[in-house]
Amino acid sequence: MMWIIVITAAVFAAGGAAIYVIRSSRKAEMQKYYDAAYKMIKENCLNNAIRNQSVPAYGGLKVMVYLKWKDRQKQGFVFDPEHGIRIGRSPGENEICIRDGAVSGQHCIIFVSGGRLAVQDLNSANGTWIQRGLRKHAVETAEFLCSGDRLAVGTLKIQVTVFTFDMAYI
């Protein structure tokens, strides 16, 4: 009977350790994209100051987007959705260049439409797909994205995370 208690305690301890490791790695990943957003916003503010353009008042929350995918190495990309980004195979024409034969030169664009994050396929050969939960569908026109959605661009699956950055830290 005692060995059952010992085994049960060991299983619970191992489960607790696994949960701790998962939470720690998620927290570390979140810190990475918050740091990237901080650097990007700070650089934009400095560029505006150099150009003698007005610097916006700090404070409030700014919506940012983090895209994560796995290819040969895990990659991520943080951006301000107000500026939009293009995804495709041609390096000079896209902010995110994907070297995949199933990806068109200019495959899709992610941007803000009506205050919401949207994606639009740019008449790519293989289409752009959104997976939300268990449902997967092709992007026909501009379609809204939610945090947690997965985009299929060629053979690549891109996880979308929308987060807010507190501008008071700038």
Side-chain angles (χ1 to χ4, degrees):
M1 184 66 165
M2 182 59 98
W3 61 273
I4 293 174
I5 295 171
V6 170
I7 291 174
T8 304
V11 168
F12 279 114
I19 290 170
Y20 175 77
V21 168
I22 290 169
R23 284 186 180 164
S24 295
S25 66
R26 284 184 186 160
K27 190 173 182 179
E29 183 178 17
M30 285 177 56
Q31 189 60 48
K32 284 181 187 177
Y33 59 75
Y34 278 97
D35 289 346
Y38 172 80
K39 289 175 185 175
M40 179 188 314
I41 293 168
K42 189 78 167 177
E43 184 176 313
N44 287 340
C45 291
L46 289 172
N47 286 339
N48 288 339
I50 290 170
R51 293 184 196 126
N52 291 325
Q53 294 178 349
S54 63
V55 178
Y58 301 124
L61 299 175
K62 178 155 188 61
V63 174
M64 300 292 285
V65 177
Y66 171 58
L67 303 176
K68 178 176 89 171
W69 62 91
K70 294 178 187 176
D71 49 8
R72 290 182 201 146
Q73 65 258 18
K74 288 184 177 180
Q75 295 195 32
F77 187 83
V78 175
F79 71 98
D80 181 350
E82 291 176 9
H83 298 129
I85 60 153
R86 289 184 184 264
I87 299 173
R89 195 176 61 237
S90 300
E93 301 172 7
N94 302 290
E95 286 78 20
I96 297 178
C97 181
I98 300 171
R99 299 288 186 181
D100 180 347
V103 176
S104 296
Q106 290 185 351
H107 199 94
C108 65
I109 185 168
I110 300 175
F111 59 99
V112 173
S113 175
R116 294 182 60 194
L117 188 65
V119 63
Q120 183 170 358
D121 187 75
L122 299 174
N123 296 320
S124 64
N126 295 312
T128 302
W129 296 76
I130 297 176
Q131 181 174 347
R132 185 172 292 139
L134 298 176
R135 188 172 159 252
K136 183 176 180 179
H137 67 280
V139 174
E140 300 294 330
T141 61
E143 293 200 33
F144 294 119
L145 287 172
C146 300
S147 193
D149 285 352
R150 292 186 191 279
L151 285 177
V153 176
T155 59
L156 199 64
K157 306 289 187 275
I158 302 172
Q159 175 78 37
V160 178
T161 303
V162 180
F163 66 100
T164 55
F165 183 82
D166 188 352
M167 295 294 285
Y169 290 110
I170 297 295

